Amino acid sequence: AMRGFVVCLVASTCVLLAGDISFAQTYGIEFHNTVMPASGGMAGTSFSQPQDVQSAIGGNPATMVQFPGTQFSFGGAYAEATYNVTQATPLPLLGVTPYSGKSDTPGGLVGNIGVIHQVDMLGRPVTMGMGFLTNAAVGVDFRPFPESNGTHASYLSLDVVSSVATRVTQNLSVGASAAIATSVLDGPFVDTSSSQTDNALRGTVGANYDMGGGFTVGGFWQSKKNQNFENVVRFGNGAFQSLRLDHPSNVGFGVANRCLMNGRLLLAADAIFKQYSEADFFRAIYRDQWVFQLGGQYAMNQRMKLRFGYAYNEDPTLDTVPGTIGGVIPVGGIPAVHYVQGQFAAVSQHRLTGGVGIQDLMPGVDFDLSLGGMFEADKSFGSTTASVESYWIAFGFTWRCGAPITSCCQPGAVPVVASE
Protein backbone atom coordinates (compact mmCIF):
# COMPACT_ATOMS: atom_id res chain seq x y z
CA ALA A 1 0.00 0.00 0.00
CA MET A 2 2.80 2.43 0.91
CA ARG A 3 4.64 1.66 -2.32
CA GLY A 4 1.49 2.45 -4.30
CA PHE A 5 1.07 5.70 -2.39
CA VAL A 6 4.61 6.81 -3.24
CA VAL A 7 4.09 5.91 -6.91
CA CYS A 8 0.92 8.02 -6.98
CA LEU A 9 2.78 10.97 -5.48
CA VAL A 10 5.57 10.81 -8.04
CA ALA A 11 3.16 10.39 -10.95
CA SER A 12 1.06 13.34 -9.87
CA THR A 13 4.15 15.53 -9.49
CA CYS A 14 5.22 14.75 -13.05
CA VAL A 15 1.75 15.54 -14.43
CA LEU A 16 1.53 18.82 -12.57
CA LEU A 17 4.99 20.11 -13.39
CA ALA A 18 4.72 19.12 -17.05
CA GLY A 19 1.64 21.23 -17.83
CA ASP A 20 0.61 24.86 -17.90
CA ILE A 21 -1.54 26.17 -15.09
CA SER A 22 -4.80 28.02 -15.62
CA PHE A 23 -5.99 30.84 -13.38
CA ALA A 24 -8.80 28.87 -11.83
CA GLN A 25 -10.97 28.62 -8.72
CA THR A 26 -8.88 30.43 -6.12
CA TYR A 27 -9.23 33.01 -3.35
CA GLY A 28 -6.38 35.26 -4.35
CA ILE A 29 -4.06 32.38 -5.23
CA GLU A 30 -5.06 29.56 -2.82
CA PHE A 31 -7.69 26.85 -3.30
CA HIS A 32 -8.79 26.11 0.30
CA ASN A 33 -10.46 22.73 -0.47
CA THR A 34 -12.55 24.13 -3.33
CA VAL A 35 -11.31 21.52 -5.83
CA MET A 36 -11.42 18.52 -3.49
CA PRO A 37 -13.53 15.50 -4.54
CA ALA A 38 -16.38 15.93 -2.01
CA SER A 39 -15.89 19.35 -0.40
CA GLY A 40 -15.60 20.89 -3.85
CA GLY A 41 -19.28 20.08 -4.43
CA MET A 42 -20.10 22.00 -1.24
CA ALA A 43 -18.19 25.16 -2.28
CA GLY A 44 -15.22 24.05 -0.16
CA THR A 45 -17.06 23.91 3.19
CA SER A 46 -15.02 21.50 5.31
CA PHE A 47 -13.62 23.16 8.44
CA SER A 48 -15.88 21.31 10.91
CA GLN A 49 -17.39 18.33 9.01
CA PRO A 50 -15.18 17.51 5.98
CA GLN A 51 -16.49 14.87 3.61
CA ASP A 52 -13.18 13.72 2.12
CA VAL A 53 -9.77 12.77 3.47
CA GLN A 54 -7.86 15.51 1.63
CA SER A 55 -10.01 18.30 3.07
CA ALA A 56 -9.34 17.18 6.63
CA ILE A 57 -5.58 17.07 6.05
CA GLY A 58 -5.45 20.35 4.14
CA GLY A 59 -7.99 22.29 6.22
CA ASN A 60 -8.64 21.89 9.94
CA PRO A 61 -6.39 18.97 11.03
CA ALA A 62 -8.51 18.36 14.17
CA THR A 63 -11.28 16.97 11.93
CA MET A 64 -9.14 13.96 10.91
CA VAL A 65 -10.50 12.06 13.93
CA GLN A 66 -13.81 11.80 12.03
CA PHE A 67 -12.22 9.31 9.61
CA PRO A 68 -11.92 5.95 11.41
CA GLY A 69 -9.64 3.07 10.50
CA THR A 70 -7.43 3.59 7.46
CA GLN A 71 -8.66 5.62 4.51
CA PHE A 72 -6.72 6.46 1.36
CA SER A 73 -8.03 8.84 -1.29
CA PHE A 74 -6.66 9.57 -4.75
CA GLY A 75 -8.17 12.66 -6.37
CA GLY A 76 -7.62 15.15 -9.12
CA ALA A 77 -9.24 18.13 -10.79
CA TYR A 78 -9.31 19.96 -14.10
CA ALA A 79 -9.82 23.73 -14.15
CA GLU A 80 -10.02 26.14 -17.05
CA ALA A 81 -10.40 29.91 -17.06
CA THR A 82 -11.31 32.57 -19.58
CA TYR A 83 -8.94 35.43 -18.79
CA ASN A 84 -9.01 38.58 -20.90
CA VAL A 85 -6.87 41.71 -20.68
CA THR A 86 -7.28 45.07 -22.41
CA GLN A 87 -4.37 47.50 -22.26
CA ALA A 88 -5.77 50.93 -23.14
CA THR A 89 -2.61 53.08 -23.27
CA PRO A 90 1.07 52.49 -24.05
CA LEU A 91 3.51 51.60 -21.28
CA PRO A 92 6.71 52.71 -23.03
CA LEU A 93 9.10 51.78 -20.22
CA LEU A 94 7.73 48.21 -20.38
CA GLY A 95 7.67 48.05 -24.17
CA VAL A 96 3.91 47.38 -24.06
CA THR A 97 1.54 49.01 -26.55
CA PRO A 98 -2.29 48.88 -26.53
CA TYR A 99 -3.79 45.45 -27.13
CA SER A 100 -6.75 43.31 -26.15
CA GLY A 101 -6.84 39.54 -26.00
CA LYS A 102 -7.51 36.28 -24.23
CA SER A 103 -4.85 34.45 -22.23
CA ASP A 104 -3.36 31.53 -24.14
CA THR A 105 -2.85 29.43 -20.98
CA PRO A 106 -4.80 26.17 -21.36
CA GLY A 107 -6.76 24.45 -18.65
CA GLY A 108 -4.66 22.73 -16.00
CA LEU A 109 -4.66 19.52 -13.98
CA VAL A 110 -4.20 19.51 -10.23
CA GLY A 111 -3.74 16.49 -7.99
CA ASN A 112 -4.82 15.89 -4.39
CA ILE A 113 -3.90 12.67 -2.56
CA GLY A 114 -4.31 11.82 1.10
CA VAL A 115 -4.16 8.97 3.60
CA ILE A 116 -5.44 8.88 7.20
CA HIS A 117 -4.71 6.12 9.73
CA GLN A 118 -5.86 5.77 13.35
CA VAL A 119 -3.51 4.18 15.90
CA ASP A 120 -3.19 3.86 19.68
CA MET A 121 -0.22 5.69 21.21
CA LEU A 122 0.41 5.49 24.95
CA GLY A 123 -3.16 4.37 25.46
CA ARG A 124 -4.62 7.31 23.53
CA PRO A 125 -6.24 7.12 20.07
CA VAL A 126 -4.23 9.21 17.62
CA THR A 127 -5.06 9.95 14.00
CA MET A 128 -2.18 10.50 11.58
CA GLY A 129 -2.47 11.85 8.07
CA MET A 130 -0.29 12.57 5.08
CA GLY A 131 -1.25 14.42 1.93
CA PHE A 132 0.15 15.59 -1.37
CA LEU A 133 -1.98 18.65 -2.11
CA THR A 134 -2.08 21.43 -4.68
CA ASN A 135 -2.16 24.59 -2.60
CA ALA A 136 -2.11 27.23 -5.38
CA ALA A 137 -2.06 27.36 -9.16
CA VAL A 138 -2.49 30.44 -11.35
CA GLY A 139 -1.26 31.52 -14.76
CA VAL A 140 -1.78 33.79 -17.76
CA ASP A 141 -0.01 34.00 -21.13
CA PHE A 142 -0.32 36.90 -23.58
CA ARG A 143 2.84 36.16 -25.55
CA PRO A 144 0.87 35.49 -28.78
CA PHE A 145 0.18 39.26 -28.84
CA PRO A 146 3.40 41.07 -29.89
CA GLU A 147 2.10 44.28 -28.30
CA SER A 148 2.33 42.61 -24.86
CA ASN A 149 6.12 42.31 -25.14
CA GLY A 150 6.02 38.73 -23.88
CA THR A 151 3.65 39.21 -20.95
CA HIS A 152 3.10 35.98 -19.03
CA ALA A 153 2.99 34.69 -15.47
CA SER A 154 2.55 31.29 -13.86
CA TYR A 155 2.74 30.12 -10.29
CA LEU A 156 2.36 26.63 -8.81
CA SER A 157 2.64 25.54 -5.17
CA LEU A 158 2.61 21.88 -4.10
CA ASP A 159 2.45 20.85 -0.44
CA VAL A 160 3.46 17.61 1.26
CA VAL A 161 1.45 17.76 4.49
CA SER A 162 1.96 15.65 7.62
CA SER A 163 -0.83 15.90 10.20
CA VAL A 164 -1.72 14.50 13.61
CA ALA A 165 -4.92 14.76 15.67
CA THR A 166 -6.40 13.32 18.85
CA ARG A 167 -9.52 13.52 20.99
CA VAL A 168 -8.93 15.41 24.22
CA THR A 169 -12.43 14.42 25.33
CA GLN A 170 -15.25 12.58 23.59
CA ASN A 171 -16.42 15.91 22.18
CA LEU A 172 -13.21 17.95 21.74
CA SER A 173 -10.51 17.15 19.20
CA VAL A 174 -7.30 19.02 18.44
CA GLY A 175 -4.80 18.70 15.62
CA ALA A 176 -1.73 20.15 13.95
CA SER A 177 -0.02 19.83 10.60
CA ALA A 178 3.26 20.80 8.97
CA ALA A 179 3.60 21.37 5.24
CA ILE A 180 6.75 21.32 3.15
CA ALA A 181 5.98 23.32 0.02
CA THR A 182 7.71 23.42 -3.33
CA SER A 183 6.69 26.41 -5.45
CA VAL A 184 7.56 27.38 -9.02
CA LEU A 185 7.32 30.96 -10.32
CA ASP A 186 7.72 32.14 -13.92
CA GLY A 187 7.32 35.86 -14.67
CA PRO A 188 5.41 38.07 -14.00
CA PHE A 189 7.49 41.05 -15.20
CA VAL A 190 7.87 42.11 -18.81
CA ASP A 191 11.52 41.90 -19.91
CA THR A 192 13.95 39.13 -18.99
CA SER A 193 12.58 36.68 -16.43
CA SER A 194 13.23 33.07 -15.59
CA SER A 195 11.45 30.16 -13.94
CA GLN A 196 12.65 29.62 -10.39
CA THR A 197 11.81 27.23 -7.56
CA ASP A 198 11.71 27.79 -3.81
CA ASN A 199 10.87 25.65 -0.77
CA ALA A 200 9.08 26.77 2.37
CA LEU A 201 7.54 25.50 5.60
CA ARG A 202 4.04 26.17 6.89
CA GLY A 203 2.16 25.09 10.02
CA THR A 204 -1.50 24.74 10.98
CA VAL A 205 -3.17 24.19 14.37
CA GLY A 206 -6.88 23.55 14.84
CA ALA A 207 -9.65 22.38 17.14
CA ASN A 208 -13.16 21.00 16.68
CA TYR A 209 -15.97 20.59 19.21
CA ASP A 210 -19.03 18.32 18.98
CA MET A 211 -21.91 20.05 20.78
CA GLY A 212 -24.26 17.08 20.46
CA GLY A 213 -27.21 16.49 18.17
CA GLY A 214 -24.87 16.47 15.18
CA PHE A 215 -23.84 20.13 15.64
CA THR A 216 -20.10 20.89 15.51
CA VAL A 217 -17.93 24.01 15.52
CA GLY A 218 -14.27 24.23 14.56
CA GLY A 219 -11.47 26.55 13.65
CA PHE A 220 -7.81 26.72 12.68
CA TRP A 221 -4.88 29.10 12.26
CA GLN A 222 -2.40 28.66 9.42
CA SER A 223 0.96 30.39 9.34
CA LYS A 224 2.35 32.51 6.54
CA LYS A 225 4.43 30.77 3.87
CA ASN A 226 7.66 32.76 3.38
CA GLN A 227 9.31 32.43 -0.04
CA ASN A 228 12.19 34.09 -1.86
CA PHE A 229 12.74 33.35 -5.55
CA GLU A 230 16.36 34.13 -6.32
CA ASN A 231 17.51 35.73 -9.58
CA VAL A 232 14.05 35.58 -11.13
CA VAL A 233 13.96 38.91 -13.03
CA ARG A 234 16.30 41.33 -14.80
CA PHE A 235 15.50 44.72 -16.30
CA GLY A 236 17.57 45.81 -19.29
CA ASN A 237 21.26 44.98 -18.83
CA GLY A 238 21.12 45.15 -15.04
CA ALA A 239 21.74 42.37 -12.56
CA PHE A 240 19.18 39.66 -11.85
CA GLN A 241 16.99 40.40 -8.83
CA SER A 242 15.26 38.16 -6.33
CA LEU A 243 11.53 38.37 -5.64
CA ARG A 244 9.86 37.76 -2.27
CA LEU A 245 6.44 36.13 -2.64
CA ASP A 246 4.57 34.94 0.47
CA HIS A 247 1.31 33.12 1.04
CA PRO A 248 -0.77 34.92 3.69
CA SER A 249 -1.57 33.60 7.13
CA ASN A 250 -5.15 32.30 7.32
CA VAL A 251 -7.76 31.93 10.04
CA GLY A 252 -10.70 29.61 9.35
CA PHE A 253 -13.97 28.97 11.19
CA GLY A 254 -16.61 26.33 10.46
CA VAL A 255 -20.02 25.23 11.76
CA ALA A 256 -22.02 22.23 10.62
CA ASN A 257 -24.95 20.01 11.52
CA ARG A 258 -24.95 16.48 10.14
CA CYS A 259 -28.18 15.17 11.68
CA LEU A 260 -30.90 17.18 9.99
CA MET A 261 -33.81 15.26 8.42
CA ASN A 262 -32.98 12.15 10.47
CA GLY A 263 -29.37 12.20 9.37
CA ARG A 264 -30.03 12.67 5.67
CA LEU A 265 -29.08 16.35 5.46
CA LEU A 266 -25.75 17.96 6.32
CA LEU A 267 -25.51 21.77 6.27
CA ALA A 268 -22.24 23.62 6.78
CA ALA A 269 -20.81 27.14 6.67
CA ASP A 270 -17.18 28.30 6.69
CA ALA A 271 -15.45 31.67 6.94
CA ILE A 272 -11.81 32.41 6.07
CA PHE A 273 -9.78 35.53 6.82
CA LYS A 274 -6.70 35.94 4.62
CA GLN A 275 -4.08 38.43 5.86
CA TYR A 276 -2.54 39.61 2.59
CA SER A 277 -1.36 42.85 4.22
CA GLU A 278 1.49 40.88 5.86
CA ALA A 279 2.49 38.89 2.75
CA ASP A 280 5.30 40.14 0.53
CA PHE A 281 4.39 40.65 -3.14
CA PHE A 282 0.64 40.29 -2.60
CA ARG A 283 0.37 43.13 -0.10
CA ALA A 284 1.29 45.43 -3.00
CA ILE A 285 -1.79 44.37 -5.00
CA TYR A 286 -4.24 42.79 -2.48
CA ARG A 287 -5.88 43.87 0.77
CA ASP A 288 -6.94 41.51 3.58
CA GLN A 289 -9.82 39.33 2.43
CA TRP A 290 -12.88 37.59 3.92
CA VAL A 291 -14.28 34.45 2.27
CA PHE A 292 -17.65 32.82 3.05
CA GLN A 293 -18.64 29.31 1.97
CA LEU A 294 -22.04 27.62 2.33
CA GLY A 295 -22.65 23.98 1.47
CA GLY A 296 -24.99 21.06 1.92
CA GLN A 297 -25.18 17.32 1.40
CA TYR A 298 -28.36 15.26 1.05
CA ALA A 299 -28.27 11.47 1.30
CA MET A 300 -30.85 10.01 -1.04
CA ASN A 301 -30.22 6.53 0.38
CA GLN A 302 -27.41 4.59 2.07
CA ARG A 303 -25.18 4.86 -1.01
CA MET A 304 -26.01 8.05 -2.94
CA LYS A 305 -25.31 11.62 -1.75
CA LEU A 306 -26.05 14.87 -3.56
CA ARG A 307 -24.04 18.02 -2.78
CA PHE A 308 -24.51 21.74 -3.44
CA GLY A 309 -22.79 24.97 -2.46
CA TYR A 310 -22.30 28.70 -2.89
CA ALA A 311 -19.25 30.83 -2.06
CA TYR A 312 -18.72 34.57 -1.84
CA ASN A 313 -15.46 36.41 -1.30
CA GLU A 314 -14.48 40.04 -1.03
CA ASP A 315 -12.61 41.49 -3.98
CA PRO A 316 -9.08 41.73 -2.54
CA THR A 317 -7.51 43.90 -5.25
CA LEU A 318 -6.23 47.34 -4.21
CA ASP A 319 -7.20 50.54 -6.01
CA THR A 320 -3.95 52.29 -5.05
CA VAL A 321 -0.63 50.44 -5.33
CA PRO A 322 3.00 51.29 -4.46
CA GLY A 323 5.83 51.48 -6.97
CA THR A 324 7.52 48.36 -5.60
CA ILE A 325 6.38 44.75 -5.32
CA GLY A 326 8.03 41.82 -3.54
CA GLY A 327 11.22 43.81 -2.96
CA VAL A 328 11.55 44.62 -6.68
CA ILE A 329 11.20 48.11 -8.18
CA PRO A 330 9.98 47.35 -11.70
CA VAL A 331 10.79 49.58 -14.65
CA GLY A 332 7.77 51.85 -15.00
CA GLY A 333 6.94 52.20 -11.30
CA ILE A 334 3.26 52.33 -10.35
CA PRO A 335 1.92 51.67 -13.91
CA ALA A 336 4.12 48.55 -14.01
CA VAL A 337 2.69 47.32 -10.68
CA HIS A 338 -0.84 47.94 -12.00
CA TYR A 339 0.08 45.88 -15.05
CA VAL A 340 1.25 43.01 -12.81
CA GLN A 341 -1.97 43.41 -10.80
CA GLY A 342 -3.88 42.84 -14.04
CA GLN A 343 -2.17 39.43 -14.32
CA PHE A 344 -3.34 38.45 -10.79
CA ALA A 345 -6.84 39.93 -11.00
CA ALA A 346 -8.71 37.76 -8.47
CA VAL A 347 -11.87 39.84 -8.88
CA SER A 348 -14.57 37.16 -9.22
CA GLN A 349 -16.75 37.03 -6.10
CA HIS A 350 -19.46 34.43 -6.71
CA ARG A 351 -19.26 30.64 -7.23
CA LEU A 352 -21.85 27.87 -7.53
CA THR A 353 -21.00 24.19 -7.08
CA GLY A 354 -22.60 20.76 -7.09
CA GLY A 355 -21.56 17.16 -6.74
CA VAL A 356 -22.39 13.55 -6.08
CA GLY A 357 -20.96 10.85 -3.84
CA ILE A 358 -21.39 7.10 -4.24
CA GLN A 359 -20.56 4.87 -1.28
CA ASP A 360 -19.29 1.36 -2.06
CA LEU A 361 -19.03 1.89 -5.80
CA MET A 362 -16.96 -1.23 -5.33
CA PRO A 363 -16.71 -3.00 -1.97
CA GLY A 364 -14.87 -0.64 0.36
CA VAL A 365 -14.33 1.98 -2.38
CA ASP A 366 -16.23 5.29 -2.55
CA PHE A 367 -16.40 7.69 -5.49
CA ASP A 368 -16.92 11.47 -5.36
CA LEU A 369 -17.42 13.96 -8.17
CA SER A 370 -17.80 17.73 -7.93
CA LEU A 371 -18.02 20.60 -10.38
CA GLY A 372 -18.38 24.35 -10.17
CA GLY A 373 -18.29 27.66 -11.92
CA MET A 374 -16.90 31.07 -11.03
CA PHE A 375 -18.98 33.94 -12.44
CA GLU A 376 -17.38 36.47 -14.77
CA ALA A 377 -16.12 39.73 -13.27
CA ASP A 378 -13.89 42.53 -14.49
CA LYS A 379 -11.96 45.46 -13.06
CA SER A 380 -9.58 48.16 -14.23
CA PHE A 381 -6.13 48.70 -12.73
CA GLY A 382 -4.79 51.99 -14.04
CA SER A 383 -4.92 51.60 -17.81
CA THR A 384 -5.19 47.78 -17.61
CA THR A 385 -8.59 46.04 -17.53
CA ALA A 386 -8.87 42.35 -16.74
CA SER A 387 -11.87 40.00 -16.76
CA VAL A 388 -11.96 36.41 -15.54
CA GLU A 389 -14.36 33.48 -15.22
CA SER A 390 -13.70 29.77 -14.82
CA TYR A 391 -15.11 26.30 -14.35
CA TRP A 392 -13.69 23.12 -12.84
CA ILE A 393 -14.44 19.47 -12.23
CA ALA A 394 -12.91 17.28 -9.50
CA PHE A 395 -13.07 13.58 -8.64
CA GLY A 396 -11.71 11.13 -6.13
CA PHE A 397 -11.66 7.44 -5.19
CA THR A 398 -11.44 6.55 -1.51
CA TRP A 399 -10.44 3.15 -0.13
CA ARG A 400 -11.72 2.41 3.40
CA CYS A 401 -10.28 -0.25 5.68
CA GLY A 402 -11.54 -0.91 9.21
CA ALA A 403 -13.97 2.04 9.20
CA PRO A 404 -16.88 1.16 11.52
CA ILE A 405 -20.40 2.46 10.94
CA THR A 406 -21.87 4.42 13.86
CA SER A 407 -25.02 6.41 14.56
CA CYS A 408 -24.61 9.87 13.01
CA CYS A 409 -25.94 11.78 16.02
CA GLN A 410 -23.52 10.36 18.58
CA PRO A 411 -20.70 12.75 19.54
CA GLY A 412 -17.75 12.23 17.20
CA ALA A 413 -19.65 9.86 14.93
CA VAL A 414 -19.40 9.62 11.16
CA PRO A 415 -22.66 10.59 9.38
CA VAL A 416 -24.45 7.53 8.02
CA VAL A 417 -28.04 7.22 6.84
CA ALA A 418 -29.97 4.66 8.84
CA SER A 419 -31.55 1.73 7.04
CA GLU A 420 -35.22 2.14 6.23
Side-chain angles (χ1 to χ4, degrees), residues 19 61 97 184 215 357 408 410:
T97 56
V184 182
F215 186 78
C408 82
Q410 295 175 352

Side-chain angles (χ1 to χ4, degrees), residues 291-321:
V291 174
F292 303 96
Q293 302 174 147
L294 303 173
Q297 174 180 273
Y298 178 74
M300 299 182 64
N301 50 49
Q302 287 184 294
R303 296 187 59 196
M304 180 73 70
K305 300 173 183 176
L306 300 180
R307 302 184 177 109
F308 50 91
Y310 166 77
Y312 168 83
N313 65 268
E314 295 178 325
D315 176 1
T317 54
L318 291 170
D319 297 322
T320 303
V321 300

Side-chain angles (χ1 to χ4, degrees), residues 70-127:
T70 301
Q71 301 194 34
F72 167 76
S73 184
F74 180 90
Y78 175 84
E80 183 161 350
T82 300
Y83 199 107
N84 296 291
V85 160
T86 297
Q87 180 58 41
T89 62
L91 300 173
L93 295 179
L94 299 179
V96 175
T97 56
Y99 73 97
S100 181
K102 176 181 178 293
S103 169
D104 198 46
T105 301
L109 294 171
V110 298
N112 292 297
I113 304 168
V115 59
I116 286 178
H117 178 62
Q118 289 192 344
V119 298
D120 286 329
M121 297 182 68
L122 301 176
R124 175 178 292 275
V126 174
T127 304

Side-chain angles (χ1 to χ4, degrees), residues 173-216:
S173 61
V174 296
S177 66
I180 301 175
T182 294
S183 302
V184 182
L185 174 68
D186 189 8
F189 299 105
V190 174
D191 216 319
T192 303
S193 63
S194 62
S195 177
Q196 295 291 347
T197 301
D198 191 44
N199 300 310
L201 296 174
R202 197 181 206 182
T204 305
V205 293
N208 204 51
Y209 188 77
D210 194 319
M211 302 182 68
F215 186 78
T216 57

